[in-house]
Amino acid sequence: MDAAKAAAEINRLSREIESHNRLYYDEAEPEISDAEYDALYRSLEELEAAHPELASPNSPTRRVGGTVLDAFEQRAHEVPMLSIDDVFSEAELGDFFGRLSRSLGEEKIPVTIEPKIDGVAVALHYRDGDLEYAVTRGDGSTGDLITENVRTIDRVPLRLPDGQGLPSWIEVRGEIFMRDEPFSRMNADREAQGLAVFKNPRNATAGALKLLDSAEVSKRPLDFIAHGLGRYEGPPLESVKEFRDLLKALGIPQNLPVWEAETYDSCLEAVRELDKSRHSLGYATDGAVIKVNSFADQSRLGATSRAPRWAAAFKYPPEQKETLLRNISVQIGRTGVLTPVAELDPVLVSGTTVSRATLHNQDEIDRKDVRIGDTVLIEKAGEIIPRVVSIVASKRPAGAEPFNLVEAVGGKCPSCGAEIVRPEGFVAWKCLDLSCPAQAANLVRQFVSRKALDIDGVGTIVAEKLVEREVISGPLDLFELELDSLAQLNLGTDESPRLLGSKNAGKIVETVARARQFPLNRWIFGLGIPQVGESAAKELARLHKTLPDLANSAILAELRKLKTGDRKEDNAILAPYKI
């Protein structure tokens, strides 16, 4: 077979296989048997082997992965991937609907209502029907290029069907996630192999997408559902409904079920219906997303710097469970705050097992009258962070013990032994020793977090051991780490050593090197400066050129005075970072 005929046959087989994939995965209506499908697949493999120069990166045979990257390339979003503002009550939903009505000058506002999926946001770019590239949300402006990993996901079309209405460019935004049953099977297999199991589908998904070996990613049960539109060059689209019709025509899986409403009352009814049905979807959801249907109205409403005004996410009240409080421990945060933590009998809450929950501070313990031995009510704040809601007074045993944080730690920091203080106007007790190992380890964790410098491989244990074994004393020391010495880091005890190893060390060194190219705002956020979050970090980056400029910033000094008063510890707020 000559090259021209081979190219035509490769294209035909690829299109036919993709069509059968859509029928199998999206519509559950396969037209051929598994044996017939396998025969088509083998024919394509043989042709590509005979003519490797004709193989497309979007060939169905690429689903098994195989590409190994040194690091993820960064890619800017042509249209920012904004967050969606949350509403937490029916009254707040009414306020949102009222703002829409006033802004648009209409009583009835057509909206759509759909599940809010607990996954990893991603944008898929298709040019002339082929998957061009895929990029994570990242910080909303820039994300990781994860095309090779996304190509391994069965439900992601690598090629869109030809036909009238095919856009020359379409950016489809959605969530990559894991369904409950495949996630459970994966964890059972890992446990049988003696491997660590994942805490929840969201963490497992995020971890899979960070793997640099796409062959490994292909072994994870990743799924994809589309819910939004970014860059678009094609026949005009006037509404969310028309966009959904296009997704269906292109064979791209979309977020379902979906409701349509025009008034607050009908919208609220849909939100309530979704709350009843979402637990049967087979994957984690934590809310309902409400969007204005008309794209023209969306444009009129516009957006703030972080979120569109034409959408809102109604967050359902968190699930609550009872369990026994066995003990209360104390942990030290990156700013030196001592936080009491409830040690619990493990209990399943909102899809994950909870064994620890924050008690915030001593005043909170006293207000709720929490005692060791109590039965307590647990929920996840925002479906993420476990907290103790209240005690169950009727189940209090006779020997339940009151807890006092200062007495529990003997008035000293459990990490460094320095005297703890309670600054005027604060409810929390603090360690003010800037060389405190626990604070240093938490600063490192902030520094390497996804919204900061996104450094792979430095989790809680690695951060603590780097500081404990005096390999580093602060976040910026990460840039001085050498591969050989890092590989010898003992994550275990002196009696039972467990080395980090060359592979893990290499991952850290590679992503640390990549982080040098990140914009200043992510460095500022990563430093974990008290009272400086993402928005403040972006503004400070706009007003300063370098980190040394920040160290002598009059603006930052004034910000700290406004927030906390001119106290002694404010005079060295950047001292731990050695800037």
Side-chain angles (χ1 to χ4, degrees), residues 446-454 518 522-523 525-527:
Q446 167 80 5
F447 192 70
V448 305
S449 64
R450 182 177 62 84
K451 292 182 179 180
L453 298 192
D454 197 16
F518 280 13
R522 291 183 68 166
W523 284 75
F525 177 73
L527 292 177

Side-chain angles (χ1 to χ4, degrees), residues 118-120 149 176-180 182-184 186-187 190 196-211 216-217 219-223 352:
D118 190 15
V120 175
N149 288 350
I176 295 176
F177 64 102
M178 290 186 188
R179 295 177 186 270
D180 295 340
F183 170 74
S184 297
M186 178 184 66
N187 259 353
R190 291 180 66 87
V197 297
F198 296 103
K199 291 184 178 180
N200 56 58
R202 173 65 173 74
N203 287 356
T205 299
L209 292 176
K210 285 181 173 293
L211 295 174
E216 288 299 314
V217 179
K219 300 174 185 177
R220 307 290 175 87
L222 297 176
D223 208 331
T352 60

Side-chain angles (χ1 to χ4, degrees), residues 555-576:
I555 297 171
L556 186 59
E558 286 302 314
L559 176 65
R560 288 288 290 158
K561 287 179 183 178
L562 286 172
K563 292 287 186 180
T564 64
D566 190 8
R567 300 194 309 277
K568 180 179 180 180
E569 63 266 29
D570 296 333
N571 297 329
I573 57 176
L574 293 181

Side-chain angles (χ1 to χ4, degrees), residues 174-412:
E175 301 290 319
I176 295 176
F177 64 102
M178 290 186 188
R179 295 177 186 270
D180 295 340
E181 288 188 11
F183 170 74
S184 297
R185 289 197 300 270
M186 178 184 66
N187 259 353
D189 290 343
R190 291 180 66 87
E191 191 170 21
Q193 298 173 48
L195 301 174
V197 297
F198 296 103
K199 291 184 178 180
N200 56 58
R202 173 65 173 74
N203 287 356
T205 299
L209 292 176
K210 285 181 173 293
L211 295 174
L212 297 174
D213 185 349
S214 59
E216 288 299 314
V217 179
S218 70
K219 300 174 185 177
R220 307 290 175 87
L222 297 176
D223 208 331
F224 171 78
I225 286 178
H227 55 56
L229 179 65
R231 175 181 174 179
Y232 179 73
E233 298 172 13
L237 294 175
E238 295 185 357
S239 65
V240 173
K241 185 178 185 307
E242 290 187 9
F243 169 61
R244 285 182 167 276
D245 290 341
L246 177 61
L247 289 177
K248 184 176 182 180
L250 297 177
I252 299 174
Q254 59 179 289
N255 196 9
L256 294 172
V258 61
W259 286 260
E260 296 180 359
E262 291 187 336
T263 65
Y264 165 67
D265 288 339
S266 57
C267 178
L268 180 57
E269 183 180 353
V271 167
R272 289 171 175 171
E273 286 181 14
L274 175 54
D275 191 23
K276 295 175 183 177
S277 63
R278 66 191 180 98
H279 299 291
S280 63
L281 292 175
Y283 50 85
T285 61
D286 60 359
V289 177
I290 300 94
K291 301 175 185 175
V292 170
N293 185 48
S294 165
F295 286 159
D297 285 345
Q298 289 184 10
S299 181
R300 288 173 61 191
L301 290 163
T304 66
S305 61
R306 66 173 301 276
R309 295 188 179 92
W310 45 264
F314 182 92
K315 303 302 286 288
Y316 293 113
E319 180 183 20
Q320 297 183 340
K321 290 287 186 67
E322 290 184 7
T323 189
L324 188 64
L325 192 157
R326 294 287 183 182
N327 202 358
I328 297 176
S329 58
V330 178
Q331 66 182 22
I332 301 94
R334 59 182 171 82
T335 60
V337 171
L338 275 66
T339 302
V341 177
E343 305 291 343
L344 310 164
D345 275 355
V347 61
L348 189 66
V349 185
S350 298
T352 60
T353 300
V354 172
S355 58
R356 306 178 86 228
T358 181
L359 288 165
H360 300 292
N361 52 62
Q362 185 65 50
D363 285 2
E364 188 78 353
I365 291 174
D366 294 342
R367 184 179 68 82
K368 294 177 178 176
D369 190 23
V370 176
R371 302 184 187 185
I372 297 171
D374 272 338
T375 294
V376 293
L377 199 61
I378 302 297
E379 72 175 23
K380 285 186 179 178
E383 299 276 340
I384 297 173
I385 303 170
R387 71 182 186 97
V388 174
V389 179
S390 64
I391 65 164
V392 182
S394 62
K395 296 184 179 181
R396 169 169 286 171
E401 301 175 23
F403 177 84
N404 181 280
L405 185 146
V406 178
E407 292 178 1
V409 299
K412 298 182 182 298

